[in-house]
């Protein structure tokens, strides 16, 4: 997956609590096993009217937020079912960072696994960042994962905490498979030795 080091962009304010995974990506779009192509359906029920036209009141349909790479919401983002399609849809839309006071546990973990940085900040700080984002094109927010700070448009820095292992994996652009492949030589050595000691056992080959 793509490395996450420093991200600067327009943040979209979505001041709602309990945005569940069905709102992020409705169940009818879960037939695919591909991570691409889901962005057009992200927040489908909020983004589109019944006739398929865009809802002009929804923030991601408004300039300049159509190209937002940061999303700011209220408590309990990603609650509901554990579908991994939710972070897939956000990532395919272009979102690389979500900021909220709290997250559902499985959604929180799935974000890291798919290259999205979830940042938990106090409600009052989230409200301040939302106020910044409402200033539009000129109010860009910077997320510096190396330094673990959010930089507001006025230069004020807000510290955040990330698990050290998860931080390293994002900085290096490693998902679970990429992390495993870092040990490819050791795996090949083990398999070669096992083939000699236990020739009747099936072998594992890393392509």
């Amino acid at each position: 997956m793509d490395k996450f080091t420093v991200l600067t962009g327009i943040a979209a304010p979505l001041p709602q609590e309990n945005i569940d995974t069905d709102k992020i990506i409705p169940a009818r779009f879960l037939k695919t096993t591909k991570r691409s192509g889901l962005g057009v359906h992200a927040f489908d029920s909020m983004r589109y009217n019944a006739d398929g036209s865009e809802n002009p009141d929804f923030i991601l349909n408004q300039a300049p937020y159509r190209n937002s790479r940061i999303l700011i919401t209220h408590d309990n983002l990603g609650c509901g079912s554990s579908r991994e399609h939710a972070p897939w849809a956000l990532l395919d839309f272009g979102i690389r960072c979500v900021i909220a006071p709290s997250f559902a546990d499985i959604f929180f973990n799935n974000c890291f696994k798919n290259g999205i940085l979830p940042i938990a900040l106090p409600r009052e700080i989230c409200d301040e960042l939302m106020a910044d984002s409402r200033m539009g094109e000129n109010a860009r927010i910077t997320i510096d994962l190396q330094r673990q700070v959010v930089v507001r448009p006025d230069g004020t820095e807000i510290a955040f905490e990330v698990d050290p292992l998860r931080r390293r994996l994002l900085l290096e652009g490693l998902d679970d498979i990429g992390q495993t492949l870092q040990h490819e030589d050791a795996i090949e050595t083990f398999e070669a030795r096992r083939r000699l000691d236990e020739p009747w056992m099936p072998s594992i080959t890393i392509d």
Side-chain angles (χ1 to χ4, degrees):
M1 62 190 185
D2 292 338
K3 294 180 180 180
F4 190 117
T5 52
V6 177
L7 172 66
T8 298
I10 298 166
L14 192 56
Q16 296 184 29
E17 296 181 354
N18 304 315
I19 298 175
D20 62 33
T21 52
D22 194 60
K23 285 184 179 178
I24 297 173
I25 184 69
R28 63 185 179 276
F29 301 116
L30 303 187
K31 296 177 182 178
T32 181
T33 57
K34 296 181 180 179
R35 301 188 185 193
S36 59
L38 290 172
V40 68
H41 301 299
F43 300 105
D44 193 90
S45 62
M46 294 188 281
R47 216 166 136 197
Y48 302 107
N49 297 315
D51 62 1
S53 61
E54 286 190 350
N55 173 11
D57 296 327
F58 186 59
I59 190 69
L60 295 178
N61 289 336
Q62 301 171 10
Y65 304 106
R66 287 179 178 275
N67 299 315
S68 293
R69 305 193 69 196
I70 303 164
L71 182 68
I72 309 171
T73 74
H74 282 162
D75 292 275
N76 202 25
L77 177 61
C79 57
S81 72
S82 60
R83 65 193 65 169
E84 194 169 1
H85 294 70
W88 290 0
L90 292 177
L91 187 64
D92 195 56
F93 179 85
I95 301 294
R96 290 297 312 274
C97 178
V98 286
I99 302 174
S102 62
F103 299 87
D105 288 343
I106 294 176
F107 174 79
F108 184 79
N109 293 331
N110 282 339
C111 282
F112 283 107
K113 289 177 178 293
N114 289 281
I116 296 175
L117 172 62
I119 299 176
L121 292 173
R123 172 68 177 264
E124 59 271 20
I125 298 297
C126 290
D127 287 339
E128 291 176 5
L129 292 173
M130 285 188 191
D132 288 342
S133 67
R134 290 190 182 98
M135 292 188 290
E137 182 75 36
N138 296 322
R140 294 178 177 267
I141 292 174
T142 294
I143 312 296
D144 188 331
L145 180 56
Q146 184 70 50
R147 297 172 54 226
Q148 293 185 190
V149 293
V150 176
V151 185
R152 296 176 62 182
D154 65 1
T156 302
E157 296 187 349
I158 302 164
F160 62 87
E161 295 293 329
V162 180
D163 174 81
L165 174 59
R166 286 173 162 167
R167 174 174 170 270
R168 181 179 71 81
L169 295 178
L170 281 177
L171 287 170
E172 296 180 10
L174 296 174
D175 58 12
D176 288 345
I177 295 174
Q179 187 179 5
T180 300
L181 289 176
Q182 287 193 312
H183 305 284
E184 181 175 358
D185 290 344
I187 294 171
E188 293 286 2
T189 298
F190 172 82
E191 283 298 310
R193 185 170 61 249
R194 190 170 67 89
R195 283 192 292 270
L196 292 174
D197 296 341
E198 302 171 342
W200 61 89
M201 293 290 290
S203 298
I204 298 174
T205 302
I206 298 178
D207 294 325

